[in-house]
Amino acid sequence: MLKTHNCGDLRVADVGETVTLAGWVHRRRDHGALIFLDLRDRSGLVQVTCNAQGTPAAHAVLNTVRGEYVIQVQGGVRDRPAGLTNPNLPTGEIEVVAESAQILNEAHTPPFYINEDVEIDEALRLKYRYLDLRRPVMQQNIILRHQVVSFIRKFLDGRDFLEIETPMLIKTTPEGARDYVVPSRVHPGSFYALPQSPQQLKQLLMVAGYERYFQIARCFRDEDLRADRQPEFTQLDLEMSFVDREDVMALIESLYIALIEALGSKPILAKPFLVLTYAEAMARYGSDKPDLRFGMELVDLGDLSGGSEFKVFSEALAAGGQVKAIVAPGCADFSRRQLDDLGEQVKRFGAKGLVWIARKGDGSVKSAAARFLSESELAAIFERTGAGLGDLVLIVAAANRSVIARSLGELRLALGQQLGLVRRDVHALCWVVEFPLLEWSEQGGRWTAMHHPFTSAMDEDWPLLESDPGRVRAKAYDLVMDGWEVGGGSIRIHRRDRQQAMFRALGIGPEEAEEKFGHLLEAFEFGAPPHGGIATGIDRTVAILAGTTSIREVIAFPKTASATDLMFRSPSEISEAQLRELHLSITA
RNA sequence: GGGGACGUAGUGUAGUGGUUAACAUGUCGGCCUGUCAAGCCGAAGAUCGCGGGUUCGAACCCCGUCGUCCCCGCCA
């Protein structure tokens, strides 16, 4: 080894030791005959010093080094003189007096600061990702990610799980996201698909009798990107035989509690995790991934507004819709401009408008709708919503219930952040269960699986699959953390007849089912055990633990929003020869 | 596919129609033996993303285009 110690590990206990260090010049403070420099390696920083009289050999070398030079230093660890310690550095009580030093490699001045935390254009960071990753913040993120994955492996190994790899070159499936596809050289005109998840493979491992499987699995989906979505991402993929819903949930709950308590920096707001049905989550939070770090729940005003003079209310209800409200605490004095902005926000989600009622501090009521609402109606609204003096009641009425949920749910999130109501000092996790098995696709004109086509219905709901598919609830569960969907899973179908019934409900005919899923259907006839599992997002989990809002911050080499890699400059064209070999021609 | 924001020395920003594009920091040089965002003095460093247009005159206004980010659609 070119070094005997790590920079960041040196302490007072090492005083008197002779050490050899190697690392990057983080910062240099040159007093002429006296030089200080902060030497950095993965473990952290330590101050190295030398002077022209006492250590001339080292001084001659360190006089020429610059930022990010890679150097090696030999010297003794000593206590810093009294009053000269640096409490901001874990190594701040000691320093290394360099006796000699060598330049291992010179470095250009980097295109951005590695030794300072300033905002840098993300495109530049991605172009020089290897320098970006050198920054201490990024190193912490990547190290945290390693710790999370390592923790999960140990946890599951201790509970009798087997880590089993599954292929990356599989087969395109109907349903779900757009596949990334790989042309076959050997079979002209045929393609592999990269897995959107190892879903079928892990089910087949259950049929194979492995009982408890997991994998830190890379997944690929060719869909547009977001701050929390990359074309390739990593899941903890897990499957168990002979379990019911509660078994999988209990296992993952204990894993996440242990994980957060071991590696997170914030306490968990409530244990055990709250379990909400999908219907409840939508009703109370207007979202299937509610952020429980603050209140501001949606309140139903339907029974108060049935006979209202206010047609916005009564007509929505007559059309089978709802009238619902949230209370923005202390916002009664919002300006007209602010209220208009809130109105614009809900319109994005299909609401015709936002009804606002300001209950002023002096007890007076201000509202554009006030003349349509009686005293008693107002009083009832204030009582139901709990709106006090100084609060602002925000109401959406619509015939379409999902419009109300969506618009008030998003408004709740926006206001929660804007008003600083979201508790940043805790993590809040919950389960959302009993999702609808199917949802109607307007553009497809058919039912689609809300989770995936292998999800089992609730036992008592199976009879509804043909008669009333929209009412069938799934044995599915989502894990939600701080308003992010971090995981989702289900008990699977393990009987051929039920799987066929599911395909039928999805409009997949017998021939197509045989062609696309024949292997699975056949496997179910050879003794498939009842089984279920879950997949949780490693990128999202680490991002939340790291306190960042983009998963790119916890992925070593992420892609841009347009799915390019700025360092490799990928995707890129391939040669004519490669195209020929793959039997491909470019038409675009 | 759609909407929005941004693009100015290496980096982060200011400049919203008028002389030589400003500030901080970094870089380079000089001085300096206790700094830790070292300090002091000096110097260099800009195709104002790119193309077109309006104007006597454009970093600034307009159109297009490229790139990055955020959102909608999409994401079983």
Side-chain angles (χ1 to χ4, degrees):
Chain A
M1 283 293 287
L2 301 186
K3 60 182 197 176
T4 59
H5 292 72
N6 292 321
C7 297
D9 293 346
L10 296 175
R11 293 292 182 278
V12 175
D14 299 300
V15 167
E17 287 281 308
T18 298
V19 299
T20 301
L21 301 177
W24 290 263
V25 176
H26 189 69
R27 206 180 279 281
R28 188 164 159 279
R29 293 175 292 279
D30 185 350
H31 293 225
L34 173 69
I35 296 173
F36 297 100
L37 56 84
D38 296 334
L39 190 64
R40 184 191 72 237
D41 62 19
R42 198 180 88 190
S43 64
L45 298 175
V46 70
Q47 173 163 286
V48 173
T49 185
C50 63
N51 70 74
Q53 259 88 61
T55 54
H59 185 269
V61 174
L62 298 185
N63 198 28
T64 66
V65 306
R66 294 294 181 267
E68 298 308 313
Y69 273 37
V70 186
I71 63 169
Q72 187 183 36
V73 170
Q74 293 80 25
V77 181
R78 77 169 178 204
D79 271 314
R80 293 218 199 167
L84 295 171
T85 59
N86 183 349
N88 300 320
L89 233 48
T91 59
E93 298 199 4
I94 54 99
E95 63 189 1
V96 174
V97 182
E99 297 292 337
S100 60
Q102 296 76 36
I103 294 173
L104 301 179
N105 209 346
E106 300 183 354
H108 287 309
T109 302
F112 48 81
Y113 296 102
I114 289 170
N115 55 13
E116 244 172 85
D117 272 325
V118 290
E119 285 283 307
I120 313 155
D121 177 37
E122 201 173 340
L124 192 66
R125 291 175 56 196
L126 291 172
K127 180 176 176 190
Y128 295 98
R129 189 60 163 181
Y130 48 89
L131 295 179
D132 189 37
L133 289 169
R134 201 183 274 177
R135 295 161 59 227
V137 211
M138 289 305 286
Q139 292 209 340
Q140 283 163 26
N141 287 353
I142 299 300
I143 290 167
L144 175 64
R145 185 181 178 116
H146 160 77
Q147 290 169 333
V148 165
V149 170
S150 169
F151 186 97
I152 290 171
R153 285 204 162 100
K154 283 181 201 138
F155 184 96
L156 294 174
D157 181 62
R159 280 160 185 75
D160 217 18
F161 280 82
L162 299 172
E163 183 170 7
I164 303 172
E165 291 175 89
T166 54
M168 302 293 262
L169 297 174
I170 55 172
K171 183 179 177 174
T172 186
T173 51
E175 299 288 304
R178 194 177 294 113
D179 284 315
Y180 274 102
V181 126
V182 178
S184 164
R185 171 183 58 83
V186 182
H187 302 282
S190 288
F191 296 81
Y192 301 97
L194 304 182
Q196 296 178 27
S197 87
Q199 182 59 38
Q200 293 182 61
L201 295 154
K202 67 177 173 177
Q203 290 191 242
L204 292 165
L205 287 170
M206 294 302 103
V207 178
Y210 286 90
E211 297 196 37
R212 291 179 167 224
Y213 142 94
F214 84 99
Q215 182 178 193
I216 305 298
R218 192 66 61 84
C219 305
F220 304 86
R221 295 177 191 176
D222 186 5
E223 297 292 347
D224 286 335
L225 287 75
R226 289 286 188 284
D228 62 350
R229 273 167 34 190
Q230 283 273 306
E232 53 180 308
F233 60 100
T234 306
Q235 289 189 336
L236 160 60
D237 191 55
L238 177 149
E239 198 77 5
M240 306 166 78
S241 292
F242 309 116
V243 289
D244 215 327
R245 203 174 62 168
E246 288 68 26
D247 301 302
V248 181
M249 290 167 66
L251 174 85
I252 294 300
E253 183 158 332
S254 62
L255 168 62
Y256 266 72
I257 289 173
L259 180 67
I260 292 164
E261 291 180 345
L263 299 172
S265 52
K266 303 171 188 176
I268 297 168
L269 186 61
K271 297 182 285 188
F273 302 161
L274 187 62
V275 180
L276 293 164
T277 65
Y278 172 83
E280 219 178 331
M282 295 306 287
R284 291 172 58 187
Y285 300 97
S287 168
D288 61 0
K289 44 176 177 155
D291 190 340
L292 300 183
R293 291 174 301 171
F294 70 112
M296 252 178 100
E297 292 188 24
L298 279 58
V299 181
D300 195 334
L301 303 180
D303 57 305
L304 303 179
S305 312
S308 178
E309 298 283 300
F310 193 28
K311 285 191 174 162
V312 172
F313 290 177
S314 52
E315 284 176 2
L317 290 167
Q322 289 177 308
V323 179
K324 298 188 79 166
I326 54 173
V327 176
C331 298
D333 292 323
F334 263 26
S335 66
R336 191 61 204 227
R337 170 76 186 274
Q338 283 174 299
L339 293 165
D340 288 346
D341 281 348
L342 298 180
E344 285 308 311
Q345 285 187 47
V346 300
K347 281 179 188 164
R348 286 169 50 211
F349 304 105
K352 290 210 182 68
L354 183 68
V355 178
W356 52 270
I357 306 173
R359 192 176 192 194
K360 298 275 191 183
D362 61 7
S364 66
V365 171
K366 201 177 154 212
S367 170
R371 60 199 168 105
F372 303 112
L373 295 164
S374 67
E375 285 286 326
S376 62
E377 260 183 294
L378 285 171
I381 289 172
F382 292 148
E383 198 199 332
R384 172 68 57 83
T385 57
L389 296 180
D391 292 346
L392 177 68
V393 183
L394 300 164
I395 306 171
V396 173
N400 184 332
R401 293 178 173 225
S402 65
V403 163
I404 295 185
R406 190 84 196 280
S407 47
L408 282 180
E410 295 289 340
L411 196 60
R412 172 180 176 269
L413 284 179
L415 282 167
Q417 299 214 345
Q418 190 186 320
L419 302 174
L421 302 175
V422 182
R423 285 189 62 181
R424 306 245 170 241
D425 59 331
V426 294
H427 292 300
L429 295 94
C430 68
W431 290 101
V432 178
V433 300
E434 294 180 25
F435 279 80
L437 184 68
L438 304 167
E439 63 187 339
W440 183 254
S441 162
E442 285 299 337
Q443 68 183 57
R446 63 183 187 93
W447 293 98
T448 58
M450 193 155 177
H451 186 50
H452 58 54
F454 316 109
T455 299
S456 175
M458 303 273 288
D459 296 330
E460 62 272 33
D461 287 359
W462 275 114
L464 294 171
L465 188 56
E466 286 196 29
S467 57
D468 195 354
R471 276 186 51 210
V472 179
R473 293 163 303 160
K475 268 193 199 170
Y477 30 86
D478 272 9
L479 179 63
V480 178
M481 181 170 178
D482 298 354
W484 289 39
E485 183 197 324
V486 293
S490 61
I491 298 301
R492 326 296 184 189
I493 297 167
H494 65 281
R495 278 170 40 183
R496 182 181 174 120
D497 59 333
R498 292 231 157 122
Q499 189 63 67
Q500 282 174 314
M502 180 67 175
F503 288 144
R504 237 186 347 266
L506 295 170
I508 299 173
E511 299 80 20
E512 188 182 3
E514 191 54 46
E515 145 69 20
K516 301 285 171 47
F517 300 107
H519 53 284
L520 191 70
L521 292 168
E522 192 176 20
F524 286 170
E525 295 183 304
F526 285 100
H531 62 283
I534 194 167
T536 73
I538 297 293
D539 313 283
R540 290 181 184 177
T541 300
V542 178
I544 295 169
L545 291 177
T548 173
T549 52
S550 165
I551 63 172
R552 292 187 302 275
E553 299 301 313
V554 298
I555 296 173
F557 300 101
K559 300 206 167 30
T560 66
S562 51
T564 65
D565 184 310
L566 295 177
M567 190 177 61
F568 278 101
R569 284 176 301 189
S570 72
S572 60
E573 294 181 356
I574 61 174
S575 69
E576 278 300 327
Q578 284 173 299
L579 285 172
R580 227 176 297 119
E581 206 164 50
L582 295 168
H583 324 284
L584 296 176
S585 67
I586 304 298
T587 58

